[in-house]
Amino acid sequence: MKLGLLTAALGRMSLEQVAAWTCQAGYEALEVAAWPVGSEHIHQAAHLDVAGFTAGDADRVRDLMDRYGLTISAVTYCGNNLHGDPAERDRIHRHLRACVDAAAALGVRHVTTFIGRDIDLPVADNLKQAERHLPPLARYAADRGVRLLAENCPMEGWHPDGYPANLAYSPELWDWMAGLGFGLTYDPSHLPWLGIDPLDALDHALQAGIVGHVQAKDIQIDERARTRYGVFGKTAGRASPTDVGWWRYRVPGRGQLDWNRIIDALYAAGYDGDIAVEHEDPVWGGTLDKTLQGMRIAASTLRPLIVAEPEGQSPPSTSLTEPPRPSP
């Protein structure tokens, strides 16, 4: 198991700048964000331009990873694969296939995405839509030696009333999507506010053999505020989709998840993938300096829990020396 980070929160840095900083901060792997170029906003970066990705591009990325002693754990593009607009859904699927092609060219085993949801249809109809549209995507990936993984983020911000808009949010749906050919990118931070025990859910997923990748994000819950707002969060006065009033995402070490038990469960099950920090912490965010500090906090929390390299191999540097600053 290697400790990595998802590059999506570092969109103001180039992939080379991210790699230079990563290897100095105690990380060994990158989950590389690959949203379409030009569509980036917070937490959606384009560190791989997968449109027209060539053999030369693959060589340059591999050389970059080798230079800094890093590996790529997954290529990530989390679009709504069940979007209600057929033209937009087709665009999302084309970009996802391009992510698969880039991953295959790089020798990367996994591409992380969402299942999604057509918010104008009931869940039962969405399940039928998924069973029609998603297996061909999974087969496209499998034919190229890549496994599509769906992250279990509910994406309640995609729904006008804050209901789950990514049909991969519960263990019941993990079993269903496995039948469509999808594995799981397990992120425990999404589970407690839904009333799902993250360790029980992880045990189920590991026994089912569907965990291909793990994201490390924490959560902070205010139970008194939940009593005021209810499980779906604020109704009047909500400033943004994530302004729910009673919970917020944190970096590992600043929330309430038991990372010692989570990582121990992964080792006990023989999990051979990586764990990538996903930064969506409003306390340690907003500026590049604060975001990087949040990443350092996460590394200092998780690094002691990851088994050291075998004897004779050098452990990763934990120097916090900064790389050259990104261009404005």
Side-chain angles (χ1 to χ4, degrees):
M1 191 189 309
K2 293 181 178 179
L3 178 62
L5 62 84
L6 172 59
T7 69
L10 302 175
R12 285 169 284 185
M13 298 170 69
S14 69
L15 183 59
E16 180 162 3
Q17 289 168 331
V18 172
W21 184 86
T22 295
C23 76
Q24 297 174 17
Y27 291 98
E28 305 160 275
L30 294 178
E31 179 184 355
V32 182
W35 271 260
V37 173
S39 65
E40 306 97 315
H41 56 82
I42 188 168
H43 304 310
Q44 291 186 356
H47 285 120
L48 283 183
D49 182 1
V50 300
F53 195 74
T54 66
D57 295 327
D59 289 340
R60 284 188 288 274
V61 173
R62 281 193 296 267
D63 288 346
L64 176 64
M65 296 299 109
D66 290 344
R67 190 186 321 154
Y68 292 105
L70 300 171
T71 58
I72 297 178
S73 61
V75 173
T76 292
Y77 164 58
C78 293
N80 184 353
N81 286 297
L82 294 179
H83 199 286
D85 180 344
E88 179 64 10
R89 185 177 64 235
D90 183 62
R91 184 197 65 78
I92 290 167
H93 289 185
R94 287 198 308 272
H95 190 77
L96 183 60
R97 288 192 291 269
C99 289
V100 168
D101 293 339
L106 291 166
V108 175
R109 295 186 296 167
H110 299 126
V111 168
T112 288
T113 187
F114 288 153
I115 296 297
R117 177 181 178 178
D118 180 345
I119 61 172
D120 294 324
L121 294 177
V123 170
D125 289 348
N126 270 273
L127 299 182
K128 294 176 183 176
Q129 290 288 324
E131 289 159 7
R132 173 186 173 191
H133 294 296
L134 300 191
L137 292 172
R139 288 194 296 270
Y140 183 91
D143 288 345
R144 289 153 181 80
V146 175
R147 189 182 190 191
L148 283 184
L149 308 176
E151 187 202 337
N152 59 288
C153 177
M155 287 308 294
E156 68 283 357
W158 280 354
H159 195 286
D161 295 317
Y163 301 148
N166 172 34
L167 298 180
Y169 62 86
S170 73
E172 177 191 15
L173 290 164
W174 302 348
D175 293 336
W176 163 77
M177 71 191 195
L180 306 181
F182 281 68
L184 173 69
T185 288
Y186 168 81
D187 183 338
S189 68
H190 301 299
L191 299 170
W193 77 266
L194 292 170
I196 299 170
D197 183 283
L199 283 162
D200 283 350
L202 176 59
D203 180 65
H204 168 81
L206 289 168
Q207 289 190 39
I210 60 174
V211 180
H213 195 253
V214 175
Q215 290 178 342
K217 187 164 78 261
D218 216 320
I219 186 171
Q220 183 179 20
I221 291 175
D222 182 339
E223 294 185 2
R224 292 189 66 190
R226 181 173 58 195
T227 298
R228 172 172 174 78
Y229 294 118
V231 69
F232 297 112
K234 286 183 182 179
T235 302
R238 183 181 287 207
S240 71
T242 57
D243 179 29
V244 295
W246 66 273
W247 62 266
R248 60 184 179 177
Y249 294 127
R250 302 301 309 273
V251 293
R254 294 296 184 268
Q256 56 200 69
L257 291 174
D258 189 336
W259 291 103
N260 186 57
R261 292 185 66 193
I262 290 170
I263 292 176
D264 187 58
L266 293 169
Y267 275 121
Y271 171 73
D272 64 352
D274 296 329
I275 181 166
V277 171
E278 182 183 19
H279 188 306
E280 293 184 354
D281 188 322
V283 177
W284 294 105
T287 68
L288 179 59
D289 286 340
K290 290 177 71 175
T291 298
L292 293 176
Q293 184 57 42
M295 294 287 196
R296 293 190 191 98
I297 293 168
S300 67
T301 299
L302 300 176
R303 181 75 265 166
L305 304 178
I306 307 294
V307 173
E309 293 290 334
E311 188 175 350
Q313 296 185 25
S314 299
S317 168
T318 56
S319 166
L320 298 182
T321 303
E322 295 290 349
R325 303 296 295 171
S327 302

